[in-house]
Amino acid sequence: MNADPLWRVLPCNFELLENEVHVWRATLDCLPLHGQALQQSLSKDERQKSERFHFAHDRHHYVVARGLLRTLLGHYLHLPPAQLCFEYNPYGKPMLASTPAQAPLSFNLSHSGGLALYAFARNRAVGVDLERMRTDLDHEQLAEHVFSPNERREFHALPVDQKVEAFFNGLTRKEAYVKARGQGLTLPLDQFDVTLRPNQPARLLRTPSEPLAAQRWSLHALAVAPDYKAALAVEGQDWRLTCWQWPD
């Protein structure tokens, strides 16, 4: 992976202030011995889930992704990764079952291909989404199901050479927002508007069911790697982003 000045090297400490959001980028194709070490921190149900993957590389990616999540949370909370317990809201969003006094610590994870992103914040919800920009999809057809009427009109009016990027801009911003809200399919992707044009700042434009949502939530596009799109959704506007690179 090429060096990117946005993504800082491993910090000396893992202090996370209330007005900060940390995003970590990591590669999932680590050495087998590293993967085995991460697997030791997983819970029994996580290890059982990993065994249900048909392909070995998918199983490896799951183990590394969950193991790194536990490792990062353990650093922030000063706890052994294997001691962390997760619970899930009615829509499947994971959260820590119990945390020390300096929490609440919120987090979110997304991975695609061999990359993963992790977002962390205190006392505010976060969501992150990462997608590899596949060119073998019918983006025009998918837009009919993913985008709102306003977004579809804007998408179909774009030049052909901008549509793949615009589609994944919109998709990642929508998915990040839905994940931050933690309401699952009760918040359909086609029921709110985001920006999607290339080089257009990431923004939540309109949520008819919640008129003040655009003021309450902020979106941020993340430059992760070539052929990838990623977005971060954060509750509130008064926060500062720092991006970190987990060592390969």
Side-chain angles (χ1 to χ4, degrees):
M1 183 181 300
N2 293 329
D4 184 338
L6 173 67
W7 299 90
R8 304 183 184 186
V9 296
L10 192 68
C12 297
N13 63 66
F14 283 73
E15 184 179 9
L16 177 62
L17 303 178
E18 288 198 14
N19 66 336
E20 292 182 326
V21 176
H22 288 183
V23 173
W24 288 82
R25 178 179 64 179
T27 57
L28 300 180
D29 294 313
C30 66
L31 295 174
L33 285 177
H34 188 199
Q36 292 173 15
L38 291 171
Q39 187 176 32
Q40 299 304 310
S41 70
L42 300 187
S43 64
K44 180 180 178 181
D45 63 307
E46 286 173 323
R47 291 194 295 270
Q48 289 174 340
K49 183 175 180 179
S50 72
E51 294 302 319
R52 294 198 289 268
F53 285 93
H54 180 72
F55 295 107
H57 70 275
D58 291 332
R59 182 165 57 252
H60 179 74
H61 284 175
Y62 172 82
V63 167
V64 175
R66 293 292 294 200
L68 285 178
L69 173 62
R70 285 179 169 275
T71 298
L72 289 166
L73 286 170
H75 280 299
Y76 282 116
L77 298 172
H78 308 290
L79 290 172
Q83 289 186 13
L84 299 172
C85 295
F86 298 106
E87 60 185 13
Y88 299 83
N89 77 1
Y91 307 101
K93 183 176 182 179
M95 61 193 73
L96 290 164
S98 60
T99 54
Q102 73 265 31
L105 178 67
S106 59
F107 64 91
N108 200 231
L109 157 67
S110 182
H111 57 90
S112 179
L115 288 179
L117 290 180
Y118 303 84
F120 301 92
R122 295 194 186 277
N123 295 307
R124 67 178 74 229
V126 290
V128 67
D129 189 61
L130 171 69
E131 304 286 344
R132 191 166 192 168
M133 292 194 292
R134 292 177 54 186
T135 58
D136 60 336
L137 302 175
D138 187 342
H139 302 97
E140 297 276 355
Q141 181 63 31
L142 288 171
E144 296 299 316
H145 301 283
V146 172
F147 290 162
S148 69
N150 290 335
E151 292 166 336
R152 290 198 296 269
R153 285 190 290 270
E154 184 170 16
F155 177 76
H156 292 313
L158 288 173
V160 173
D161 62 350
Q162 295 184 17
K163 287 190 172 181
V164 173
E165 183 178 359
F167 175 81
F168 285 100
N169 279 342
L171 178 63
T172 53
R173 293 166 193 180
K174 285 173 166 290
E175 290 281 5
Y177 175 62
V178 168
K179 293 174 71 177
R181 295 295 300 266
Q183 296 176 336
L185 296 177
T186 63
L187 184 59
L189 294 179
D190 63 355
Q191 296 300 303
F192 59 93
D193 300 340
V194 300
T195 55
L196 51 84
R197 288 176 176 270
N199 301 316
Q200 189 177 20
R203 285 181 56 207
L204 176 65
L205 298 175
R206 189 175 67 97
T207 301
S209 62
E210 189 180 342
L212 298 180
Q215 300 174 31
R216 179 185 170 196
W217 295 88
S218 49
L219 293 178
H220 185 85
L222 299 167
V224 175
D227 301 323
Y228 281 85
K229 284 291 179 181
L232 172 71
V234 181
E235 185 178 16
Q237 307 286 342
D238 56 334
W239 54 276
R240 179 166 52 95
L241 173 66
T242 304
C243 295
W244 302 102
Q245 172 65 44
W246 185 260
D248 296 343

